[in-house]
Amino acid sequence: MPPVPPPTPADLEAARDAVIDDVLGPDLDVLFCGINPSLYSAATGHHFARPGNRFWPALHLSGLVPRRLAPYEQHLLPGYGLGITNLAPRATARAEELTAEELRQGAERLAHLVAEVRPRVLAVAGVSAYRLAFGRRRAAIGPQDEEIAGSEVWVLPNPSGLNARWTLDGIAAQMRLLRRPI
């Protein structure tokens, strides 16, 4: 699939509330879960597509994939045992536009998806959203004390470029911890 040209401002506005498909496959080692698609991602149809989002470079630096993939190559992820979904399916300009109820409903939907797909690890990218969605006010980055449908749960830093508190290397280091021990 070739790269998609950058969306126009009209494309971005038209993408508001759109939904993009999950990237799933059999025998997933890690199912990454974003908060929700950005307007840019919804306009292109690719997860973590906004320029400045550090998901794809961090994924490569972590060693989970052998080269840096572009968002339009998301279909390759299941071949590496990886998938992507979101807590809230609808696209917004900023995650803050989501309601607490949407995030809680997303946690319920996610639990059903994890029970169906059965990844080894569910990795939620965004500690604040995780805390609200799952009612875990003290959750921190890293492995959680709970499992969902038999899958380990990890919380990763949000890879958005707006999350200046975490560097690319720091996000990649957290992702590296998800690798299956050899």
Side-chain angles (χ1 to χ4, degrees):
M1 179 179 290
V4 176
T8 66
D11 294 333
L12 294 176
E13 192 50 43
R16 187 171 298 281
D17 297 327
V19 174
I20 58 177
D21 292 335
D22 293 337
V23 177
L24 302 172
D27 303 319
L28 294 181
D29 283 325
V30 181
L31 177 60
F32 290 98
C33 180
I35 299 169
N36 74 308
S38 68
L39 297 180
Y40 198 102
S41 286
T44 63
H46 302 113
H47 293 272
F48 301 107
R50 185 170 195 63
N53 191 297
R54 297 166 295 174
F55 177 81
W56 297 102
L59 191 64
H60 174 241
L61 290 174
S62 73
L64 288 169
V65 295
R67 66 175 176 85
R68 183 173 170 174
L69 300 174
Y72 68 87
E73 295 178 297
Q74 68 185 18
H75 65 282
L76 298 175
L77 288 177
Y80 298 113
L82 307 173
I84 304 176
T85 189
N86 287 291
L87 271 171
R90 75 179 181 97
T92 60
R94 295 181 58 95
E96 291 80 20
E97 295 175 38
L98 300 170
T99 67
E101 183 58 26
E102 282 179 284
L103 291 174
R104 285 190 289 271
Q105 288 174 356
E108 290 177 26
R109 184 195 72 81
L110 185 59
H112 291 292
L113 180 64
V114 169
E116 180 183 326
V117 177
R118 300 229 177 260
R120 182 179 61 84
V121 174
L122 169 65
V124 179
V127 69
S128 296
Y130 177 82
R131 288 173 181 156
L132 187 54
F134 289 91
R136 306 283 189 257
R137 291 191 316 237
R138 297 183 189 268
I141 300 295
Q144 303 304 297
D145 291 334
E146 67 180 326
E147 289 186 347
I148 295 178
S151 295
E152 296 174 42
V153 178
W154 286 66
V155 175
L156 297 173
N158 186 330
S160 167
L162 298 174
N163 183 8
R165 196 169 149 221
W166 282 86
T167 65
L168 173 59
D169 288 339
I171 295 167
Q174 290 298 313
M175 284 184 173
R176 193 173 298 116
L177 298 174
L178 301 175
R179 291 186 4 194
R180 187 182 295 271
I182 297 174

